[in-house]
């Protein structure tokens, strides 16, 4: 009975204040932009810092930081389900969502939560843009992309991918380059360095451990490849970006 009484009191106060939630179409358009890989629309939303402007979104906690945290969880859940509906592999989507929610849990300011939201939105959008691009790729190239994603911690060779797809190395190399515009070896290095940037930003792993984790032949080789792709050494990258949002 107490809950019912509280509810009716809340309804009365809301009516007195004429408090209205904004149309759901506003949120739907953002989630759809993420789902379709529309990075331009998502960047506009992030640059306007729309996420932290909570007028019309409802109060989930009287504490402003906790309130925004609850909204972050709701947004992460919605983005995850929209992206799964758009073709993202469910396990990848859920793990990505869990990752960002756990990161958000340690945030202590509204700015930190808002900044992390922008990183999350752009990360999901980028992956959906790749998903969209992948939909027009040939089957063997898609098989290669999936294999590389699943075996990123291993040393991957063209021979491995040829055996996986049942094609010759020369034919597979030609088709891959036609589809993605880069060689297989360059694509593998690019994906390993992309993984390395995430580890440098969000983990305390030593550089030598990251090099070993991603199956580089040596730390010096890892540093050389990393610098070729990013324009800076792993150490400088970590110094610049390590938990920069915090």
């Amino acid at each position: 009975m107490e809950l019912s009484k509280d509810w009716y009191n809340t309804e009365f106060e809301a009516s007195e204040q004429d408090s209205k939630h904004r149309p759901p179409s506003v949120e739907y358009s953002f989630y759809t932009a993420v789902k379709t890989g529309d990075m331009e629309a998502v960047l506009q939303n992030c640059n306007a810092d729309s996420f932290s402007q909570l007028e019309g979104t409802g109060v989930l906690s009287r504490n402003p930081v906790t309130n925004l945290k609850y909204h972050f969880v709701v947004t992460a859940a919605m983005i995850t389900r929209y992206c799964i509906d758009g073709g993202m592999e469910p396990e990848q989507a859920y793990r990505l969502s869990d990752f960002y929610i756990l990161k958000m849990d340690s945030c202590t300011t509204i700015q930190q939560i808002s900044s992390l939201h922008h990183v999350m939105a752009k990360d999901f959008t980028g992956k959906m843009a790749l998903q969209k691009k992948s939909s027009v790729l040939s089957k063997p190239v898609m098989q290669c992309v999936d294999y590389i994603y699943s075996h990123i911690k291993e040393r991957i060779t063209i021979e491995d991918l040829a055996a996986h797809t049942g094609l010759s190395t020369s034919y597979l190399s030609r088709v891959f380059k036609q589809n993605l515009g880069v060689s297989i070896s360059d694509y593998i290095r690019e994906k390993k360095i992309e993984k390395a940037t995430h580890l440098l930003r969000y983990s305390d792993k030593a550089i030598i451990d990251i090099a070993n984790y991603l199956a580089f032949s040596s730390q010096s080789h890892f540093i050389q490849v990393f610098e070729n792709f990013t324009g800076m050494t792993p150490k400088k990258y970590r110094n610049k970006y390590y938990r920069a949002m915090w």
Side-chain angles (χ1 to χ4, degrees), residues 121-239:
K122 288 183 281 190
D123 192 2
F124 269 98
T125 304
K127 286 177 170 56
M128 292 308 295
L130 179 61
Q131 176 84 25
K132 187 177 179 180
K133 182 178 181 181
S134 298
S135 65
V136 298
L137 299 180
S138 64
K139 182 179 178 180
V141 173
M142 272 305 303
Q143 289 177 318
C144 289
V145 169
D146 290 340
Y147 184 94
I148 293 167
Y149 177 82
S150 301
H151 297 77
I152 196 67
K153 295 184 291 184
E154 303 170 15
R155 181 176 177 270
I156 307 169
T157 66
I158 297 176
E159 287 72 22
D160 293 331
L161 295 172
H164 181 65
T165 58
L167 301 172
S168 69
T169 56
S170 58
Y171 178 76
L172 181 60
S173 296
R174 185 166 64 253
V175 171
F176 195 97
K177 183 70 177 287
Q178 288 173 347
N179 274 231
L180 290 178
V182 294
S183 67
I184 292 176
S185 55
D186 280 346
Y187 183 85
I188 294 170
R189 282 192 287 268
E190 179 184 337
K191 291 303 157 185
K192 284 182 177 288
I193 296 305
E194 181 182 294
K195 183 71 172 179
T197 61
H198 294 161
L199 292 170
L200 289 167
R201 276 178 181 259
Y202 305 119
S203 81
D204 297 319
K205 287 182 179 290
I207 291 173
I208 180 62
D209 292 334
I210 294 175
N212 291 336
Y213 176 78
L214 294 172
F216 281 90
S217 57
S218 66
Q219 181 176 350
S220 60
H221 180 228
F222 168 62
I223 292 172
Q224 179 185 11
V225 174
F226 190 94
E227 190 168 10
N228 287 341
F229 272 90
T230 67
M232 62 182 80
T233 64
K235 186 176 186 300
K236 288 183 178 179
Y237 187 93
R238 169 166 275 169
N239 289 341

Side-chain angles (χ1 to χ4, degrees), residues 81-100:
R81 282 147 184 82
Y82 264 69
C83 288
I84 291 173
D85 185 62
M88 181 178 283
E89 203 278 320
E91 185 61 25
Q92 180 190 11
Y94 288 129
R95 287 173 63 183
L96 200 59
S97 173
D98 292 346
F99 168 79
Y100 281 111

